[in-house]
Amino acid sequence: MRIGELSRRTGVPARMLRYYEEQSLLRPERAENGYRAYREAEVYRVQQIRGLLDSGLTTEIIRRILPYLDRPDEIHVHPECLTPETEALMRGEADRLQQRIDCLARNRDAIHAYLAAVRPAAGGLAAVGEG
């Protein structure tokens, strides 16, 4: 399939698919006319990449672990992919994500406190979205 069809099937803009290729996350074949040709399996690969990016992983980490992931719906990382360098990258990324989570939680709590202070009678509104 060509890039337009892959884009339609995955919901990922063609521009992003070309970026994934630049980052060595996708490796489409090239037709004689130079057009990119994607296999059916690339639909799942793109969904997998999107999920990993959405979880906060960098393209560098994804590039390292992607060859070891079996299926997009069943992420299983093989032990041999965890080199000391990859482990350090992933631990750093986990720390960075935890800092973001902590900051977001503080911001959420501050918003709820503000709402409770500004509208004490609407105390039930402060609890909306917590969970």
Side-chain angles (χ1 to χ4, degrees), residues 31-46:
E32 287 182 22
N33 59 7
Y35 290 169
R36 291 168 178 85
Y38 295 94
R39 297 174 315 225
E40 183 66 29
E42 299 301 324
V43 171
Y44 302 106
R45 183 53 51 122
V46 170

Side-chain angles (χ1 to χ4, degrees), residues 1-3 21 27-39:
M1 82 186 81
R2 291 186 29 200
I3 196 167
E21 183 181 355
R27 292 186 180 87
E29 296 175 8
R30 293 287 182 156
E32 287 182 22
N33 59 7
Y35 290 169
R36 291 168 178 85
Y38 295 94
R39 297 174 315 225

Side-chain angles (χ1 to χ4, degrees), residues 80-93:
E80 63 269 16
C81 79
L82 192 61
T83 64
E85 185 179 53
T86 301
E87 181 178 7
L89 278 172
M90 292 184 82
R91 287 190 189 282
E93 190 64 21

Side-chain angles (χ1 to χ4, degrees), residues 21 38 58 98 111 114 118:
E21 183 181 355
Y38 295 94
T58 64
Q98 188 59 55
I111 290 169
Y114 174 79
V118 172

Side-chain angles (χ1 to χ4, degrees), residues 2-74:
R2 291 186 29 200
I3 196 167
E5 183 179 347
L6 183 61
S7 176
R8 279 189 300 283
R9 291 183 61 188
T10 61
V12 175
R15 174 180 56 82
M16 288 304 299
L17 296 173
R18 286 188 287 275
Y19 174 75
Y20 296 166
E21 183 181 355
E22 288 172 15
Q23 297 298 308
S24 298
L25 302 176
L26 288 178
R27 292 186 180 87
E29 296 175 8
R30 293 287 182 156
E32 287 182 22
N33 59 7
Y35 290 169
R36 291 168 178 85
Y38 295 94
R39 297 174 315 225
E40 183 66 29
E42 299 301 324
V43 171
Y44 302 106
R45 183 53 51 122
V46 170
Q47 292 169 341
Q48 189 174 49
I49 292 166
R50 285 295 333 143
L52 293 167
L53 287 168
D54 289 346
S55 73
L57 293 180
T58 64
T59 55
E60 181 180 355
I61 291 173
I62 295 169
R63 182 175 42 256
R64 291 170 185 263
I65 66 172
L66 202 55
Y68 300 100
L69 300 178
D70 295 325
R71 295 176 39 155
D73 59 337
E74 191 179 296

